Amino acid sequence: MSIKTSLTGLLACLGAVAAAPASAVIPFTVSMETEAPGIQTSQSGFHAVGVETFDARAVATNQSFISNFGGSAFTGTYTGVQVRNRDQYGGAGGTGRYAVTFTNAGYTLDLATQEPGGVTYFGFWLSALDLGNNVSFYKGGQLLFTFTSAHARNFINSLPNHSAYYCNPNAAFANRNCGQPYTFLNFYARNGTTFDRIHFSENPQVGGYESDNHTVGQWNRISGTVIPVPGTFLDVPEPGTWAMLMVGFGLVGAVRRRRVQTVAA
């Protein structure tokens, strides 16, 4: 086989890879605020943003209400959510109230905005992480991505200072519930993707899915440390960049082989 034929085949293969649909990759980047354990608000950058703290909500189960996330350009309809007073399991800052579900049915948050570009960011303080915590993102009824407790727990346990994320970090409940980690999670939709529904659930039902400081917005800067979730976007070169790099490597290899063959002859 000639060098020309080999290069032609390589370029054809690379072209096919570069042209592959982006839908094969989950259009999210997930990060965890790791600058210091105990961070309970988003450190990301935004074009527009709002926060629901639940502190003004009634303490009750199976609630439905509409939030404007602190008077922001975003609105959200919560359905089937339980709100509890702060305790060792939840309540950012050790005060106020927080959202929780104990069932597989869970609760939903339907999002809308008048901002051009839709909703591209969601973040929350995840407290008392257990093995049943799952959060899913949808658009138009289609599931985009599910983030499980294993994703977060495995990443936290891989950190050199992982023990610092265990135990409630707030003074009012210091050194309590030390068998479960606490952290702030960021979810960034990428490549023009937006979402309009979030579903929190507890499956298997081994505890509760506690969260607080629900933050909704349009992001322009990623913060924290990216969690390597299989199938999601990481901050690495785009497929087109990889294709060009591979072409370069192929050309270098072909030239090198040709030189070796010439010398041998």
Side-chain angles (χ1 to χ4, degrees):
M1 181 181 292
S2 67
I3 293 176
K4 181 177 180 180
T5 303
S6 299
L7 284 176
T8 300
L10 174 62
L11 290 171
C13 291
L14 290 174
V17 171
S23 59
V25 178
I26 299 170
F28 278 85
T29 290
V30 185
S31 76
M32 186 179 103
E33 299 293 358
T34 51
E35 295 176 2
I39 293 177
Q40 297 170 52
T41 59
S42 178
Q43 309 299 300
S44 305
F46 300 99
H47 293 296
V49 68
V51 181
E52 170 61 58
T53 66
F54 302 100
D55 293 347
R57 305 300 172 185
V59 175
T61 62
N62 196 30
Q63 296 190 71
S64 296
F65 56 82
I66 298 175
S67 171
N68 62 11
F69 298 94
S72 73
F74 303 91
T75 58
T77 301
Y78 285 87
T79 304
V81 64
Q82 179 175 348
V83 176
R84 303 183 71 178
N85 278 321
R86 80 279 187 227
D87 54 26
Q88 66 266 37
Y89 304 110
T95 62
R97 296 167 181 173
Y98 66 92
V100 64
T101 181
F102 296 94
T103 70
N104 184 28
Y107 66 91
T108 58
L109 168 58
D110 289 292
L111 297 167
T113 182
Q114 297 300 315
E115 289 284 330
V119 180
T120 62
Y121 170 89
F122 184 70
F124 59 95
W125 187 52
L126 170 60
S127 56
L129 172 69
D130 66 47
L131 298 178
N133 294 173
N134 302 281
V135 60
S136 298
F137 294 79
Y138 294 80
K139 181 176 182 179
Q142 179 181 357
L143 176 64
L144 300 175
F145 172 51
T146 295
F147 185 82
T148 71
S149 60
H151 295 139
R153 183 179 289 269
N154 291 344
F155 180 69
I156 291 172
N157 290 339
S158 73
L159 300 174
N161 64 334
H162 63 273
S163 60
Y165 290 90
Y166 285 77
C167 301
N168 190 305
N170 298 304
F173 303 101
N175 299 317
R176 299 183 66 178
N177 197 41
C178 291
Q180 298 177 317
Y182 295 68
T183 189
F184 195 96
L185 292 177
N186 304 289
F187 296 86
Y188 308 91
R190 302 286 292 270
N191 285 17
T193 299
T194 61
F195 51 89
D196 55 22
R197 169 171 282 196
I198 301 170
H199 179 233
F200 285 83
S201 63
E202 177 71 8
N203 184 25
Q205 296 176 172
V206 294
Y209 197 165
E210 298 89 355
S211 62
D212 201 356
N213 285 349
H214 286 192
T215 307
V216 178
Q218 295 177 348
W219 67 276
N220 59 21
R221 178 177 56 79
I222 290 176
S223 64
T225 301
V226 173
I227 299 176
V229 179
T232 59
F233 277 111
L234 298 179
D235 292 326
V236 298
E238 296 294 331
T241 304
W242 279 119
M244 288 187 289
L245 288 173
M246 291 174 69
V247 169
F249 293 147
L251 289 173
V252 170
V255 171
R256 183 181 181 88
R257 287 194 300 272
R258 185 171 185 176
R259 285 177 177 173
V260 170
Q261 291 170 357
T262 301
V263 172

